[in-house]
């Protein structure tokens, strides 16, 4: 099998039998799931259930000492246990993380960082790229440092940069968690636009503990509990007929939290 030309039948991501041990303890047990081209899928679960370890396995950024087994195919290319630099182009993944401040160099102006990230890009290209995430007025932004942007503006800039990757898989790990609800909404709109309009065959794996946020963006849901996949369903099915007891609790709690009819006094 020659990597880039491997047959993938429209599957952008196929995870099979993924198992991880951290410091000798099994943290992820036999995960199996796949994501099709153009699909937006969320990976849901409580804190500590193994969402980020799963994401890092796919991206190739697991910490040293983690033992991994199973198969991870990105665009048909086997990448299990491989850091990004060892992967062929097709096996690489575009990423957006929760903490946008650490994704950017705090000591360099944004203009300089954009020129470094996209050498040779014209002013028009940069302007269009920033406009696509609602950041107009390039001269004003270019002169600023990351700390001089709001969290939402920084996150939208990170998404714009991730969108410059030609990768057909985008993993967004809790990208809206630190944001207020209106800014969350804007970031979700930008992610939807990045997948549906900018590159319709791009697949999204959206990692979150928040069912309500996931329901606004994703068509399919994977639910994890204690390192295991306990449910895989369309988002509609999950919200209307959750099957696993953990999913039922999760959906019930999200429904109760959404604008209660009575207010606690
Ligand atoms: N580098 C590490 N060393 C030791 N244990 C780790 C390490 N990384 C993760 N773990 C453990 O593995 C389990 C899964 O962690 P993971 O970060 O994947 O959870 P998560 O579902 O992403 O949680 P959160 O939503 O809080 O980010 C947790 O029990 C965590 O403590």
């Amino acid at each position: 099998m020659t990597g880039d030309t491997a047959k993938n039948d429209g599957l952008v991501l196929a995870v099979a039998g993924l198992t991880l041990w951290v410091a000798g303890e099994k943290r992820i047990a036999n995960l199996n799931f796949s994501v099709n081209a153009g699909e937006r899928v969320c990976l849901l679960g409580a804190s500590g259930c193994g969402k980020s370890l799963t994401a890092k396995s796919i991206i190739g950024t697991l910490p040293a000492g983690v033992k991994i087994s199973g198969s991870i195919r990105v665009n048909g290319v086997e990448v299990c246990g491989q850091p990004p630099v060892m992967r062929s182009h097709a096996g690489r993944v575009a990423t957006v993380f929760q903490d946008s401040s650490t994704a950017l160099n705090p000591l360099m102006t944004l203009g300089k960082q954009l020129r470094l990230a996209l050498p040779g890009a014209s002013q028009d290209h940069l302007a269009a790229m920033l406009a696509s995430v609602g950041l107009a007025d390039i001269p004003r932004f270019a002169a600023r440092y990351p700390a001089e942007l709001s969290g939402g503006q920084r996150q939208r800039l990170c998404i714009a940069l991730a969108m410059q990757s030609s990768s057909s898989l985008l993993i967004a790990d809790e990208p809206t968690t630190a944001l207020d609800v209106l800014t969350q909404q804007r970031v979700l709109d930008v992610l939807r636009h990045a997948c549906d309009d900018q590159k319709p065959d791009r697949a999204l794996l959206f990692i979150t503990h928040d069912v309500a946020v996931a329901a606004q963006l994703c068509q399919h849901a994977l639910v994890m509990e204690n390192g295991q996949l306990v449910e895989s369903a369309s988002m509609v099915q999950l919200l209307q007929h959750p099957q696993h007891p953990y999913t039922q609790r999760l959906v019930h709690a999200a429904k109760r939290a959404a604008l209660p009819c009575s207010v606690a006094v």
Side-chain angles (χ1 to χ4, degrees), residues 22-23 27-28 45-56 63-64 66 98 173-174 207-209 224 227:
V22 184
R27 295 291 187 187
I28 302 283
S47 185
C49 72
K51 304 181 297 294
S52 291
L53 284 177
T54 304
K56 286 175 184 165
V66 175
Q98 177 180 346
D173 190 352
E174 306 266 9
I207 291 166
T208 182
H209 59 269
M224 282 183 81

Side-chain angles (χ1 to χ4, degrees), residues 167-232:
S167 173
S168 50
L169 176 62
L170 171 64
I171 295 188
D173 190 352
E174 306 266 9
T176 61
T177 299
L179 306 173
D180 67 83
V181 285
L182 289 179
T183 310
Q184 266 185 4
Q185 200 60 57
R186 193 142 194 210
V187 169
L188 293 177
D189 288 344
V190 165
L191 280 171
R192 189 181 297 103
H193 172 67
C195 296
D196 276 8
D197 306 326
Q198 285 182 328
K199 189 167 161 51
D201 64 342
R202 180 177 271 140
L204 173 69
L205 183 64
F206 183 77
I207 291 166
T208 182
H209 59 269
D210 190 331
V211 187
V213 166
Q216 292 177 64
L217 184 64
C218 298
Q219 302 119 336
H220 194 91
L222 305 164
V223 183
M224 282 183 81
E225 186 188 30
N226 295 330
Q228 297 188 334
L229 198 59
V230 295
E231 191 155 350
S232 170

Side-chain angles (χ1 to χ4, degrees), residues 8-264:
N8 59 18
D9 294 325
L11 282 185
V12 170
L13 174 65
V15 173
L18 179 65
T19 303
L20 291 188
W21 292 261
V22 184
E25 277 189 53
K26 197 187 271 188
R27 295 291 187 187
I28 302 283
N30 192 29
L31 284 198
N32 295 285
F33 64 90
S34 57
V35 181
N36 291 304
E39 206 179 8
R40 298 190 299 272
V41 174
C42 64
L43 187 56
L44 280 165
S47 185
C49 72
K51 304 181 297 294
S52 291
L53 284 177
T54 304
K56 286 175 184 165
S57 307
I58 300 165
I59 298 163
T61 53
L62 281 172
V66 175
K67 190 173 157 232
I68 184 168
S69 76
S71 166
I72 301 172
R73 300 180 82 81
V74 176
N75 291 312
V77 182
E78 180 60 57
V79 295
C80 190
Q82 289 180 7
V85 288
M86 283 177 60
R87 299 183 181 188
S88 66
H89 194 69
R92 294 196 188 150
V93 178
T95 52
V96 179
F97 296 102
Q98 177 180 346
D99 191 353
S100 55
S101 56
T102 56
L104 299 164
N105 182 340
L107 303 176
M108 201 184 274
T109 63
L110 296 167
K112 204 162 181 185
Q113 295 192 54
L114 285 172
R115 282 194 296 280
L116 275 177
L118 303 168
S122 67
Q123 275 300 101
D124 285 351
H125 178 84
L126 292 179
M129 174 190 128
L130 292 179
S132 74
V133 294
L135 297 174
D137 199 353
I138 271 216
R140 208 158 60 90
F141 272 111
R144 292 200 203 166
Y145 290 86
E148 294 171 333
L149 261 57
S150 71
Q153 288 172 327
R154 265 199 312 270
Q155 195 58 289
R156 282 185 280 141
L157 179 64
C158 289
I159 294 171
L161 283 168
M163 290 310 99
Q164 299 304 299
S165 156
S166 60
S167 173
S168 50
L169 176 62
L170 171 64
I171 295 188
D173 190 352
E174 306 266 9
T176 61
T177 299
L179 306 173
D180 67 83
V181 285
L182 289 179
T183 310
Q184 266 185 4
Q185 200 60 57
R186 193 142 194 210
V187 169
L188 293 177
D189 288 344
V190 165
L191 280 171
R192 189 181 297 103
H193 172 67
C195 296
D196 276 8
D197 306 326
Q198 285 182 328
K199 189 167 161 51
D201 64 342
R202 180 177 271 140
L204 173 69
L205 183 64
F206 183 77
I207 291 166
T208 182
H209 59 269
D210 190 331
V211 187
V213 166
Q216 292 177 64
L217 184 64
C218 298
Q219 302 119 336
H220 194 91
L222 305 164
V223 183
M224 282 183 81
E225 186 188 30
N226 295 330
Q228 297 188 334
L229 198 59
V230 295
E231 191 155 350
S232 170
S234 75
M235 189 53 86
V236 173
Q237 178 75 16
L238 188 97
L239 294 178
Q240 291 178 355
H241 306 290
Q243 299 293 307
H244 189 275
Y246 172 71
T247 318
Q248 290 169 352
R249 290 201 303 277
L250 197 67
V251 171
H252 184 63
K255 285 182 176 167
R256 281 192 62 186
L259 288 182
C261 303
S262 59
V263 178

